[in-house]
Amino acid sequence: MANSIGKNIQISSFGESHGPMVGVVIDGFPSGFAIDEAQIQAELKRRKPGQSSVSTSRQEADEFSIVSGVFEGKTTGSPIAILIPNTNQAPKDYDALKDLYRPGHADFTYQKKYGHRDHRGGGRSSARITAAWVAAGALCKQYLAQTAHITIQAVVAQIGHIEVDNIFELDWQTAENNSVRCPHPAMALAMQTAIETTAAEGDSLGGQIACRIQNCPVGLGEPVFDKLNADLAKAIFSINAVKGLSFGSGFEGAKRKGSQNNDSGAGNSNHDGGITGGISNGKDICLQVAFKPTSSIALPQTMLQQNGETITHQIQGRHDPCVVPRAVPIVEAMCAITLMDHLLLNLKYKF
Amino acid sequence: MANSIGKNIQISSFGESHGPMVGVVIDGFPSGFAIDEAQIQAELKRRKPGQSSVSTSRQEADEFSIVSGVFEGKTTGSPIAILIPNTNQAPKDYDALKDLYRPGHADFTYQKKYGHRDHRGGGRSSARITAAWVAAGALCKQYLAQTAHITIQAVVAQIGHIEVDNIFELDWQTAENNSVRCPHPAMALAMQTAIETTAAEGDSLGGQIACRIQNCPVGLGEPVFDKLNADLAKAIFSINAVKGLSFGSGFEGAKRKGSQNNDSGAGNSNHDGGITGGISNGKDICLQVAFKPTSSIALPQTMLQQNGETITHQIQGRHDPCVVPRAVPIVEAMCAITLMDHLLLNLKYKF
Amino acid sequence: MANSIGKNIQISSFGESHGPMVGVVIDGFPSGFAIDEAQIQAELKRRKPGQSSVSTSRQEADEFSIVSGVFEGKTTGSPIAILIPNTNQAPKDYDALKDLYRPGHADFTYQKKYGHRDHRGGGRSSARITAAWVAAGALCKQYLAQTAHITIQAVVAQIGHIEVDNIFELDWQTAENNSVRCPHPAMALAMQTAIETTAAEGDSLGGQIACRIQNCPVGLGEPVFDKLNADLAKAIFSINAVKGLSFGSGFEGAKRKGSQNNDSGAGNSNHDGGITGGISNGKDICLQVAFKPTSSIALPQTMLQQNGETITHQIQGRHDPCVVPRAVPIVEAMCAITLMDHLLLNLKYKF
Amino acid sequence: MANSIGKNIQISSFGESHGPMVGVVIDGFPSGFAIDEAQIQAELKRRKPGQSSVSTSRQEADEFSIVSGVFEGKTTGSPIAILIPNTNQAPKDYDALKDLYRPGHADFTYQKKYGHRDHRGGGRSSARITAAWVAAGALCKQYLAQTAHITIQAVVAQIGHIEVDNIFELDWQTAENNSVRCPHPAMALAMQTAIETTAAEGDSLGGQIACRIQNCPVGLGEPVFDKLNADLAKAIFSINAVKGLSFGSGFEGAKRKGSQNNDSGAGNSNHDGGITGGISNGKDICLQVAFKPTSSIALPQTMLQQNGETITHQIQGRHDPCVVPRAVPIVEAMCAITLMDHLLLNLKYKF
């Protein structure tokens, strides 16, 4: 089914960018867990538009309400439903797009698939709906931390041509101190400047996010088709604009010899990125995610029209010149949802 | 669940490397389809060991039998069960490994997860079980070709440091003419030499596979959590030794500006790799897969033992110095299974 | 997972009796379908409390809003989310029940399962949440009728000891003309009197509902584990207070000989109730559902307390003396959801 | 999907009555469990044909082999695959049926659904395939008994018009001492005679099975759509020829008042049949299952032909005059599979 993910905890997403709200239903969350609403709000704040000079100027309060599954501050075992109203819509921005297919967006594919679409801001295909995933991921993060001390952090490793080397060897504690969420302060500044300059040109930038999951116990992940890396991959590729993913030494490791790339049982190397044979091996789970540059740019582009002809058009609206910094909490959320799914699954393994 | 994949057609895998057989049950295959057994056998032959100087010397006939779901040459709508006996096992090769965890293999993670494992050749974690996936994929390929003219081909794009540029721009028709399955004859020869040299050193190599899906209609893929790229990612990361995946311009595209990376509706560019917003857009679906070098090498390595101490040991057995050429039909099979799952799903979309 | 049903169309339910709302997310509904909101409201009205002298005096407007998946009156293929606010709660009625387990209710089992529960009106176990199922079922009914002319009607066949013989042979057109929804006017009157009398005694009554699905095409239902009767059974037993279900000649048929019970291919008999070998056979699908009497009665009862001791207590609150008439649209809704799930599944069968 | 059941343990069935074998893949069985193969064989013996004068004269050894998932006598966490060869087929018996649809069988519905069918003995719709379910159920029974002391026993409560009153109040220990598996020796004899007499007439009989699950802990079952009774219902209605099911007081309880039917927390009554609000309440789970008489009878019957015309024909072959005694272990198996699914699910509930 299109809009649910997870087997042991299931996240069902709904809502569109220009409907009244986006939301999520979380099914399978254990009962009796005292939730921290402030932490959910803090995660939403990390994702929300209008945070800084590198994001869209669109403002959304992104205030959520929990309408099911929590009683007197604790989960009840019932499905947890979270609603996040849409408050700052400018649907008029999209009137010109009714019969146009924006390059890089799902306009054309939705129209062909469904024969009918909400053209206002992409509707269902908008990254707006990831707000609800972040709320769900925040709950999962709390659970992972309290029950298993598992922590998840993502940072920006690359914006355009500015790329941090050996990103996993830096200290990531200061990453949230700058608007691009890069743990290398000097490169963070360069990234911020690059985004601002590119934005001023009406253009956009892509980049990479690095994510590290710490304290994951040995044994999460299924051996064949629900490998931990496979389920993380499915979750990560669900995020808008993701075009690449690697674990551990990834594409670089493909160039190596076995004697160079094997993690000896004794040493500190982590070429496997914390997952061996689809199962967590107790080391940090390390992954990198490539995002394409934002498709919505403020330059004239050739576009396909509904009638099959092309036209040169300049898209209006308030768009992110680079989505990568705002995608950091989304990557964390999708990892958290996947980890929690496997943590719950793992409870029933050994006789 | 660990051992099934797909929602509209479900592939359930079973068997271990040193049990009597590996097998697969295919549930949801449409009825009345005349199957071509010779083509299944041909695909198995592409994957089977002992094909050439670049693969293991282990021999397996990999002859299959269909024991359910086909009557008088046609599918009945019942589950299709395919059995492939294991005939050339050398379990004695593994006696020394009973209390050792081979680097890069799932020995350690299985032991910790299940508390009990079949140490002979990895058991369930062996790539031996992908033989059955290839058989299932062969059926899906036949179905895709006949019902929708969809074709799927994978080739080797890189072995170690030898990498073909612009792999998708070459003519791939001759790729199967050489033992490494690379469409660039000169580089194929260099790759073959590199593998042979590395094998002689007792070492191994990784590499990349490129895969192209042609004639995919617009509209396959779900908009949110079952995006076509997300489901392909899950299927691809299910393959042993895969450590990276990208679509279209992938990691390279992350360095570009939107004005460079957007596929204009009018032009021939395919930076999105045939999938936009999670849905096939009618262009070729293009993906690249990074494989780590074979973990089993014939050099002494430091290994963890079951008692927690390390030891230096040299693994015996007949191993592939590079799995990438044999993984070509596996990548195709997992793509075929995923495409067929979405093709069937798509039948019920529009009112 | 606890709160979703269906594979090809998935209904995810959320909300509790004394939270702000109940709701449902419908995933997989085909796009481009013009929905009839008035008909949804009409179905909700059939289920809502306070309709007549035979139901609870509690009043709920049961007005719904659709917050996702519909654009300009047509479904978009996005998940359809429907919210129904709870407006007439009297949580104080339940203060006395905080440490008590009401007989026949899920109070005890929830407390033991989850260690924590919302004691106000049963919370998640309340039949209040079926309001959202009825809304989802109304959409499915519209779809079934328009695409396949399938119609579903349920009626009351028995209240307490008053049972209509050969219920499927009556004309059901007038069933909705009386408050108990029985197509036999004289027995309907007797049923109404029985309920009123029993209510005056502070007691409650059970009964049976008969349901008929007409114009179902041959071929819905899977041969082995997703038989149409099996999936209908799962859906029907999801309804609160259901304790029995039969198809066709049911328990009566178990007394017959094969020569008496077989439906000849030629004749009009329908002992199989429209389903043979798990698959619809083109005749009317006929089923009967047994409901236990409402557990909440206004008489003193011996109850278990949280401390393990028993107490004699009289439950306060506004309860239905007989839920059977209000359950008629719920039975229809669950049948509609199941039929639509199989109708969509069936689209992909034959090559 | 058609051929799998269960979410936390998944049973995938394959095979047809006249193919080489029937089989089952069990996914999700915990690792490290020492299995008892003799007990599996014993359960298969209870189900196998040719046991006694009340069953078909067809002989099948029903010897199974486990080809995956067990190493040195213990489960490994890999999928457990069990194969049971078909050895005593008489496909010639079915030649006459190629263009005929046998009354009460799935011949007509399969032909219409799939456009193509194996006419030999029903193929996939044959109860032959339940042999593999019994093998899977035997494993689940072992697990339930060892991990939770849960036991499951079914007996025959009715054959034709011979019905045992208050079946749950009898001592069931001797039920397996007679060929009909009825715990009331005198009635067992009468049932046996009735079956033999009916068989001599070329006719068949239906009946009822009662099943009791003991020592089930409080808390199995999900509150809304995966209620324990709903999942048991789905599993039971998957069995060939089942036409009715009730829990606890069932259809009889529908006639009662709440004051009569409520189980007081204090007393010994079990009108709810061990499940309240969809969740096991700690009392015995009691259910009754109605089977229609065997459809295959040795009398001339009017049948539909493939050309749409009817014909009078007498079916040849070796059929059970009453399937109910042989269905006893099948009912137990389906209950065991369902209980184990919920037992595993329940491990992850409370925080």
Side-chain angles (χ1 to χ4, degrees):
Chain A
M1 200 70 57
N3 300 287
S4 294
I5 196 164
K7 291 184 176 178
N8 300 283
I9 182 166
Q10 181 181 286
I11 309 300
S12 298
S13 157
F14 61 89
E16 292 109 6
S17 60
H18 287 72
M21 65 184 69
V22 296
V24 74
V25 180
I26 306 166
D27 198 359
F29 203 97
S31 66
F33 185 81
I35 68 168
D36 178 349
E37 297 213 5
Q39 193 260 340
I40 302 174
Q41 196 64 65
E43 293 288 354
L44 284 172
K45 196 178 164 196
R46 291 173 73 207
R47 196 213 71 97
K48 85 187 181 73
Q51 304 171 40
S52 75
S53 65
V54 302
S55 73
T56 170
S57 62
R58 195 159 47 82
Q59 295 289 333
E60 279 283 1
D62 277 350
E63 287 175 355
F64 69 96
S65 57
I66 299 179
V67 299
S68 175
V70 176
F71 180 58
E72 296 177 347
K74 285 188 183 174
T75 57
T76 60
S78 293
I80 300 170
I82 303 179
L83 310 181
I84 305 175
N86 294 328
T87 58
N88 187 349
Q89 304 158 324
K92 286 217 181 302
D93 283 355
Y94 297 96
D95 281 357
L97 296 172
K98 200 165 176 182
D99 302 318
L100 281 183
Y101 303 131
R102 294 169 298 166
H105 281 284
D107 298 354
F108 172 72
T109 52
Y110 267 59
Q111 183 70 39
K112 292 294 173 187
K113 184 180 184 81
Y114 296 114
H116 176 59
R117 79 188 156 99
D118 180 348
H119 62 278
R120 300 166 307 167
R124 183 70 184 150
S125 71
S126 166
R128 169 81 194 134
I129 63 164
T130 62
W133 310 359
V134 167
L139 276 175
C140 295
K141 270 186 171 183
Q142 294 175 22
Y143 186 87
L144 292 167
Q146 283 198 39
T147 63
H149 306 292
I150 298 172
T151 59
I152 299 170
Q153 187 182 3
V155 299
V156 168
Q158 177 204 329
I159 296 291
H161 285 281
I162 308 168
E163 183 168 3
V164 182
D165 287 333
N166 301 319
I167 183 78
F168 289 100
E169 293 171 16
L170 298 190
D171 176 357
W172 289 13
Q173 286 192 54
T174 61
E176 294 285 321
N177 295 355
N178 59 70
S179 63
V180 289
R181 299 201 163 90
C182 174
H184 188 300
M187 298 193 87
L189 206 60
M191 288 172 177
Q192 183 180 326
T193 305
I195 296 173
E196 289 166 357
T197 307
T198 307
E201 293 166 359
D203 215 335
S204 65
L205 285 173
Q208 273 192 60
I209 287 175
C211 183
R212 180 161 54 196
I213 302 165
Q214 292 184 295
N215 298 324
C216 182
V218 184
L220 296 199
E222 298 289 286
V224 176
F225 287 131
D226 292 354
K227 286 181 162 78
L228 186 57
N229 43 333
D231 277 355
L232 284 166
K234 173 158 179 160
I236 294 293
F237 275 107
S238 300
I239 302 171
N240 309 46
V242 170
K243 285 293 177 181
L245 173 66
S246 66
F247 292 89
S249 59
F251 283 86
E252 190 57 32
K255 298 179 183 162
R256 298 191 191 143
K257 294 188 175 179
S259 59
Q260 298 163 324
N261 197 65
N262 275 356
D263 293 321
S264 153
N268 289 319
S269 72
N270 188 9
H271 301 307
D272 268 345
I275 300 175
T276 313
I279 299 173
S280 61
N281 63 22
K283 296 189 176 181
D284 288 356
I285 297 173
C286 297
L287 51 100
Q288 288 189 257
V289 189
F291 286 78
K292 69 175 183 180
T294 318
S295 298
S296 286
I297 56 177
L299 295 171
Q301 297 181 88
T302 306
M303 301 184 192
L304 197 64
Q305 299 178 99
Q306 203 155 340
N307 62 13
E309 295 175 11
T310 56
I311 191 177
T312 299
H313 180 80
Q314 184 169 332
I315 299 171
Q316 305 302 316
R318 300 158 297 172
H319 303 289
D320 285 277
C322 180
V323 296
V324 185
R326 284 181 61 206
V328 164
I330 308 173
V331 168
E332 293 174 4
M334 294 314 293
C335 289
I337 290 167
T338 307
L339 264 285
M340 181 154 174
D341 198 36
H342 278 276
L343 190 74
L344 292 176
L345 177 60
N346 227 43
L347 295 177
K348 65 184 169 70
Y349 266 105
K350 276 191 237 171
F351 168 56
Chain B
M1 200 67 59
N3 300 286
S4 294
I5 196 164
K7 292 185 176 177
N8 301 284
I9 182 165
Q10 181 181 285
I11 310 300
S12 297
S13 158
F14 61 90
E16 292 110 6
S17 59
H18 287 71
M21 66 184 69
V22 297
V24 74
V25 180
I26 306 165
D27 196 359
F29 204 96
S31 66
F33 185 81
I35 67 167
D36 178 349
E37 296 212 6
Q39 193 259 340
I40 301 173
Q41 196 64 63
E43 293 287 353
L44 284 171
K45 196 177 163 195
R46 292 173 72 207
R47 195 214 72 98
K48 86 187 180 75
Q51 302 171 42
S52 75
S53 65
V54 301
S55 72
T56 171
S57 62
R58 194 157 48 81
Q59 294 289 332
E60 280 283 2
D62 277 351
E63 287 175 354
F64 69 95
S65 58
I66 299 180
V67 299
S68 173
V70 176
F71 180 60
E72 297 177 344
K74 285 188 183 173
T75 57
T76 59
S78 293
I80 301 171
I82 303 179
L83 309 182
I84 304 175
N86 295 329
T87 59
N88 186 348
Q89 303 158 325
K92 286 215 181 301
D93 284 356
Y94 296 96
D95 280 357
L97 295 171
K98 200 166 174 180
D99 301 319
L100 281 183
Y101 302 132
R102 293 169 299 165
H105 281 284
D107 299 354
F108 171 73
T109 50
Y110 267 58
Q111 184 70 38
K112 292 294 173 187
K113 185 180 183 80
Y114 297 115
H116 176 61
R117 76 188 159 100
D118 181 350
H119 63 277
R120 303 166 305 167
R124 182 72 184 149
S125 70
S126 166
R128 170 81 193 133
I129 63 165
T130 62
W133 309 358
V134 167
L139 276 175
C140 295
K141 270 187 172 181
Q142 294 176 21
Y143 186 87
L144 292 169
Q146 283 197 38
T147 62
H149 306 292
I150 298 171
T151 59
I152 299 170
Q153 188 183 2
V155 299
V156 168
Q158 177 205 329
I159 296 292
H161 284 281
I162 307 168
E163 183 167 3
V164 183
D165 287 334
N166 301 319
I167 184 79
F168 290 101
E169 292 171 16
L170 298 189
D171 177 356
W172 289 12
Q173 286 191 53
T174 62
E176 294 286 320
N177 295 356
N178 59 71
S179 63
V180 289
R181 300 202 162 90
C182 174
H184 188 298
M187 298 194 88
L189 206 59
M191 288 173 178
Q192 185 180 325
T193 306
I195 295 173
E196 288 165 357
T197 307
T198 307
E201 294 166 357
D203 216 333
S204 65
L205 286 173
Q208 273 192 61
I209 288 176
C211 184
R212 181 162 52 196
I213 302 164
Q214 292 184 294
N215 298 324
C216 182
V218 184
L220 297 199
E222 297 289 286
V224 175
F225 287 131
D226 292 354
K227 286 182 161 78
L228 187 57
N229 43 332
D231 278 354
L232 283 166
K234 172 157 181 162
I236 294 293
F237 275 107
S238 301
I239 302 173
N240 308 48
V242 170
K243 284 294 178 180
L245 172 67
S246 66
F247 292 88
S249 59
F251 283 87
E252 190 58 31
K255 297 179 185 163
R256 297 191 193 143
K257 294 188 175 177
S259 58
Q260 298 163 324
N261 197 64
N262 276 355
D263 293 321
S264 152
N268 289 319
S269 72
N270 189 8
H271 302 306
D272 268 345
I275 300 175
T276 313
I279 299 172
S280 61
N281 63 23
K283 298 189 175 180
D284 289 356
I285 297 172
C286 298
L287 50 99
Q288 287 188 258
V289 189
F291 287 79
K292 69 175 183 180
T294 318
S295 297
S296 286
I297 55 178
L299 295 170
Q301 297 181 88
T302 306
M303 299 184 193
L304 197 64
Q305 298 177 98
Q306 203 156 339
N307 62 12
E309 294 175 11
T310 56
I311 192 176
T312 298
H313 180 82
Q314 185 168 330
I315 299 172
Q316 306 301 316
R318 301 159 296 172
H319 304 289
D320 285 278
C322 180
V323 297
V324 184
R326 285 181 60 205
V328 164
I330 308 173
V331 167
E332 293 175 4
M334 295 314 294
C335 288
I337 289 167
T338 307
L339 264 284
M340 181 155 173
D341 197 37
H342 277 277
L343 190 73
L344 292 177
L345 176 62
N346 227 43
L347 295 177
K348 64 184 169 70
Y349 266 105
K350 275 191 236 170
F351 169 57
Chain C
M1 201 66 60
N3 299 287
S4 294
I5 195 165
K7 292 184 176 176
N8 301 282
I9 181 166
Q10 181 181 285
I11 309 299
S12 298
S13 158
F14 61 90
E16 292 109 6
S17 60
H18 287 71
M21 65 185 69
V22 296
V24 74
V25 180
I26 306 166
D27 197 0
F29 204 98
S31 66
F33 185 82
I35 68 168
D36 178 347
E37 297 212 6
Q39 194 259 340
I40 301 173
Q41 196 65 66
E43 293 288 353
L44 284 171
K45 196 178 164 196
R46 291 174 73 208
R47 196 214 72 97
K48 88 188 179 72
Q51 304 171 42
S52 75
S53 65
V54 300
S55 72
T56 171
S57 62
R58 195 159 48 83
Q59 294 291 331
E60 281 283 3
D62 277 350
E63 287 176 354
F64 68 97
S65 58
I66 299 179
V67 298
S68 174
V70 176
F71 181 60
E72 297 178 344
K74 285 187 182 174
T75 57
T76 60
S78 293
I80 301 171
I82 303 179
L83 310 181
I84 306 175
N86 294 328
T87 59
N88 187 347
Q89 305 158 323
K92 285 214 183 302
D93 283 355
Y94 295 97
D95 280 356
L97 296 172
K98 200 165 178 181
D99 301 318
L100 279 185
Y101 302 132
R102 293 168 299 165
H105 281 283
D107 298 353
F108 171 73
T109 52
Y110 267 58
Q111 184 70 39
K112 292 294 173 187
K113 184 181 184 83
Y114 296 114
H116 177 62
R117 77 189 157 98
D118 180 349
H119 62 277
R120 301 165 306 167
R124 183 69 184 152
S125 70
S126 166
R128 170 80 193 134
I129 64 165
T130 62
W133 310 358
V134 167
L139 275 175
C140 295
K141 269 187 172 180
Q142 294 176 22
Y143 186 86
L144 292 169
Q146 283 197 39
T147 63
H149 306 292
I150 297 171
T151 58
I152 299 170
Q153 187 182 3
V155 299
V156 168
Q158 177 206 329
I159 296 291
H161 285 280
I162 307 168
E163 183 168 2
V164 182
D165 288 332
N166 301 318
I167 184 79
F168 289 100
E169 293 171 16
L170 298 190
D171 176 357
W172 288 13
Q173 287 191 52
T174 61
E176 294 285 321
N177 295 354
N178 59 70
S179 63
V180 288
R181 300 201 162 89
C182 175
H184 188 300
M187 298 193 87
L189 206 60
M191 289 171 177
Q192 184 180 326
T193 305
I195 296 173
E196 289 166 357
T197 307
T198 307
E201 292 166 358
D203 215 335
S204 66
L205 285 173
Q208 273 192 61
I209 287 175
C211 183
R212 181 161 53 196
I213 302 164
Q214 292 185 294
N215 299 322
C216 182
V218 184
L220 297 199
E222 297 288 284
V224 174
F225 287 132
D226 292 354
K227 287 182 162 78
L228 187 57
N229 44 332
D231 278 356
L232 283 166
K234 172 157 179 162
I236 295 293
F237 275 107
S238 300
I239 303 171
N240 309 48
V242 169
K243 285 293 178 180
L245 172 67
S246 65
F247 292 88
S249 60
F251 284 85
E252 190 57 31
K255 298 180 185 164
R256 297 189 194 146
K257 294 187 173 178
S259 58
Q260 298 163 326
N261 197 64
N262 277 355
D263 293 321
S264 152
N268 289 319
S269 72
N270 188 9
H271 302 307
D272 268 345
I275 300 175
T276 313
I279 300 173
S280 61
N281 62 23
K283 296 188 176 182
D284 289 356
I285 297 173
C286 298
L287 51 98
Q288 287 189 258
V289 189
F291 287 78
K292 69 175 183 180
T294 317
S295 297
S296 286
I297 55 177
L299 295 171
Q301 296 181 88
T302 307
M303 300 183 191
L304 198 63
Q305 298 178 98
Q306 204 154 338
N307 62 12
E309 293 174 13
T310 55
I311 191 177
T312 298
H313 180 81
Q314 185 168 329
I315 299 171
Q316 305 302 316
R318 301 158 295 171
H319 304 288
D320 285 278
C322 180
V323 297
V324 185
R326 285 181 60 205
V328 164
I330 308 173
V331 167
E332 293 174 4
M334 295 314 294
C335 288
I337 290 167
T338 306
L339 264 283
M340 182 156 174
D341 197 37
H342 278 276
L343 190 72
L344 292 176
L345 176 61
N346 226 43
L347 294 177
K348 65 184 166 71
Y349 267 104
K350 276 190 238 171
F351 169 58
Chain D
M1 200 70 58
N3 299 287
S4 294
I5 195 165
K7 292 185 175 175
N8 300 283
I9 182 165
Q10 181 180 284
I11 310 300
S12 297
S13 157
F14 62 90
E16 292 109 6
S17 60
H18 287 72
M21 67 185 67
V22 296
V24 74
V25 180
I26 305 166
D27 197 359
F29 204 97
S31 66
F33 184 81
I35 67 167
D36 178 350
E37 296 213 6
Q39 193 260 339
I40 301 174
Q41 196 64 65
E43 293 288 354
L44 284 171
K45 197 178 163 196
R46 291 173 73 206
R47 197 215 70 98
K48 88 187 179 74
Q51 304 171 43
S52 75
S53 65
V54 301
S55 72
T56 170
S57 61
R58 196 159 45 82
Q59 294 289 333
E60 280 283 1
D62 277 351
E63 286 176 354
F64 69 96
S65 58
I66 299 180
V67 299
S68 173
V70 176
F71 181 59
E72 297 178 345
K74 284 187 183 174
T75 57
T76 60
S78 292
I80 300 170
I82 303 179
L83 310 182
I84 305 175
N86 295 328
T87 59
N88 187 347
Q89 304 159 325
K92 285 215 182 301
D93 284 355
Y94 296 96
D95 280 358
L97 295 172
K98 200 165 174 180
D99 302 318
L100 280 185
Y101 303 131
R102 293 169 299 165
H105 282 283
D107 299 354
F108 171 73
T109 52
Y110 267 58
Q111 184 69 40
K112 292 293 174 188
K113 184 180 183 82
Y114 297 114
H116 177 61
R117 80 191 156 98
D118 181 349
H119 63 277
R120 301 166 306 166
R124 182 71 185 151
S125 70
S126 166
R128 171 78 194 136
I129 63 165
T130 62
W133 309 357
V134 167
L139 275 175
C140 295
K141 268 188 174 181
Q142 294 175 23
Y143 185 86
L144 292 168
Q146 282 197 39
T147 62
H149 307 292
I150 298 172
T151 59
I152 299 171
Q153 187 182 3
V155 299
V156 168
Q158 177 205 328
I159 296 290
H161 284 282
I162 308 169
E163 183 168 1
V164 182
D165 287 333
N166 301 317
I167 185 78
F168 289 99
E169 293 171 16
L170 297 190
D171 176 357
W172 288 13
Q173 287 192 51
T174 62
E176 293 287 319
N177 295 356
N178 59 70
S179 63
V180 290
R181 298 200 163 91
C182 174
H184 188 299
M187 299 194 87
L189 205 61
M191 288 172 178
Q192 184 180 325
T193 305
I195 296 173
E196 289 167 356
T197 307
T198 307
E201 293 166 359
D203 215 335
S204 66
L205 285 174
Q208 272 192 61
I209 287 175
C211 183
R212 181 163 51 197
I213 302 164
Q214 292 184 294
N215 298 324
C216 182
V218 184
L220 297 198
E222 297 288 285
V224 174
F225 287 132
D226 293 355
K227 287 182 161 79
L228 186 58
N229 44 333
D231 277 356
L232 284 166
K234 172 157 180 163
I236 294 292
F237 274 106
S238 301
I239 303 171
N240 308 47
V242 170
K243 285 294 179 181
L245 172 67
S246 66
F247 292 88
S249 60
F251 283 87
E252 191 58 32
K255 297 179 184 163
R256 296 190 193 143
K257 293 187 174 179
S259 58
Q260 297 163 325
N261 197 65
N262 277 357
D263 293 321
S264 154
N268 289 318
S269 71
N270 188 9
H271 302 306
D272 268 345
I275 300 174
T276 312
I279 299 173
S280 61
N281 64 22
K283 297 189 176 182
D284 288 357
I285 297 174
C286 298
L287 51 98
Q288 288 189 258
V289 189
F291 287 78
K292 70 176 183 179
T294 318
S295 297
S296 286
I297 56 177
L299 296 170
Q301 297 181 87
T302 306
M303 299 184 192
L304 198 63
Q305 297 178 99
Q306 204 155 339
N307 62 12
E309 294 175 13
T310 55
I311 191 176
T312 298
H313 180 80
Q314 186 169 331
I315 299 171
Q316 304 301 316
R318 300 159 297 172
H319 303 288
D320 285 278
C322 181
V323 297
V324 185
R326 284 181 61 205
V328 164
I330 308 172
V331 167
E332 292 174 5
M334 295 313 294
C335 289
I337 290 166
T338 307
L339 264 284
M340 181 155 173
D341 197 37
H342 278 276
L343 191 71
L344 292 175
L345 175 61
N346 227 44
L347 295 177
K348 64 184 169 71
Y349 266 106
K350 274 190 236 171
F351 168 58

